[in-house]
Amino acid sequence: MSLFAIADLHLSLGTDKPMDIFGGWSDYVTKLETNWQNKVRPEDTVVIPGDISWGMSLEQSRMDFEFINKLNGRKIISKGNHDYWWNTKNKMDKFFAENGFDTINILHNNHYSYESYGICGTRGWISDNGEPADQKVLAREAGRLALSIESAQKAGLEPVVFLHYPPLFGNSCNYDMLEVLHKYGIKKCFYGHLHGRAHAYAINGTRDGVEYRLIASDFLHFDPLDITKIVQSDNL
């Protein structure tokens, strides 16, 4: 079984939010489906950390989840800053069950196992100006990440972290999230959120013992990244 990752699908099959108005997003849904089905097998796992659907509610996102559910593999999804449909885990689980979306799993204060690894993560956040409201959200997100990591460690698994927001961007550091990564000895961290010109400032490499990888869909050319060997490697 292989492990893949791709963030920022930005699907809008049930809403009018075309992404092809942006450079590099032309016919992206077709590209995504073709690439996905050509390389992901039913027994594989794909992690999708955020910005999944433009729907404002679960009902508005139904067609997007139908599309995702029909794609090969088990999918593990977490929240992004544009996932306005996001609700309590119980309500989302119920909605998925009622609609037969049985290949989609929600990552929220928990983990999922892949071989000897624990798939962990949360949305994350940023604080450009040090606003108190942003700091409150950051503290909450750091706590959620810690809960997710601890749940994997209690199960005897090595945590691998998936965030929506990057913990590092250019010369900027999100210290709340970095503190959690370093506290728990995380070695691999995958993130999305960055698009277009922001790709130039993305961190793809090792910083202070943590290997970072940008997995935004446009950065990957809408082709899920096989991270199996990356996760299994321990050459830091």
Side-chain angles (χ1 to χ4, degrees):
M1 298 183 292
S2 296
L3 181 63
F4 294 85
I6 184 168
D8 304 278
L9 303 188
H10 284 294
L11 297 172
S12 59
L13 299 177
T15 55
D16 185 18
K17 187 74 174 181
M19 289 295 292
D20 52 13
I21 62 174
F22 301 105
W25 287 79
S26 176
D27 199 25
Y28 71 100
V29 176
T30 299
K31 293 175 184 176
L32 173 66
E33 182 177 16
T34 299
N35 291 330
W36 189 306
Q37 297 299 77
N38 282 342
K39 70 193 310 183
V40 179
R41 300 166 298 176
E43 63 268 27
D44 294 334
T45 295
V46 185
V47 186
I48 312 172
D51 280 7
I52 296 161
S53 168
W54 278 112
M56 298 296 291
S57 66
L58 285 168
E59 187 58 40
Q60 284 190 3
S61 299
R62 181 192 300 272
M63 292 180 65
D64 297 331
F65 292 125
E66 286 178 351
F67 172 80
I68 293 171
N69 191 66
K70 291 178 181 177
L71 296 173
N72 290 339
R74 171 182 66 154
K75 300 91 185 182
I76 299 173
I77 66 172
S78 58
K79 187 179 182 181
N81 60 303
H82 290 302
D83 288 318
Y84 304 114
W85 53 268
W86 193 270
N87 214 303
T88 65
K89 190 174 185 300
N90 285 339
K91 289 184 178 179
M92 291 186 289
D93 283 336
K94 181 180 178 182
F95 179 82
F96 290 168
E98 290 174 346
N99 287 276
F101 301 152
D102 56 359
T103 70
I104 305 174
N105 302 272
I106 299 164
L107 182 61
H108 184 68
N109 297 343
N110 58 348
H111 77 278
Y112 291 92
S113 62
Y114 168 77
E115 295 184 349
S116 61
Y117 302 92
I119 305 301
C120 305
T122 189
R123 177 187 59 185
W125 198 245
I126 56 174
S127 179
D128 290 332
N129 301 310
E131 295 292 334
D134 286 335
Q135 288 302 126
K136 183 177 180 180
V137 176
L138 270 171
R140 185 177 64 207
E141 288 297 305
R144 286 175 172 165
L145 179 58
L147 285 174
S148 179
I149 293 171
E150 288 173 1
S151 73
Q153 291 181 332
K154 288 176 182 177
L157 302 171
E158 180 179 343
V160 178
V161 167
F162 296 82
L163 300 171
H164 181 67
Y165 281 99
L168 296 171
F169 178 67
N171 294 321
S172 299
C173 298
N174 186 328
Y175 292 105
D176 297 73
M177 305 308 288
L178 290 175
E179 182 178 351
V180 176
L181 296 179
H182 295 151
K183 175 182 177 180
Y184 292 97
I186 301 303
K187 298 179 181 178
K188 314 287 181 181
C189 178
F190 301 86
Y191 65 92
H193 185 66
L194 303 179
H195 302 301
R197 295 179 180 178
H199 292 166
Y201 302 96
I203 306 300
N204 283 291
T206 302
R207 293 282 185 90
D208 298 322
V210 183
E211 183 177 355
Y212 297 94
R213 295 272 182 150
L214 173 62
I215 53 170
S217 62
D218 54 330
F219 181 76
L220 299 179
H221 304 290
F222 310 100
D223 190 3
L225 178 65
D226 187 341
I227 62 172
T228 311
K229 293 183 178 179
I230 298 173
V231 167
Q232 293 172 343
S233 68
D234 190 15
N235 54 4
L236 300 178

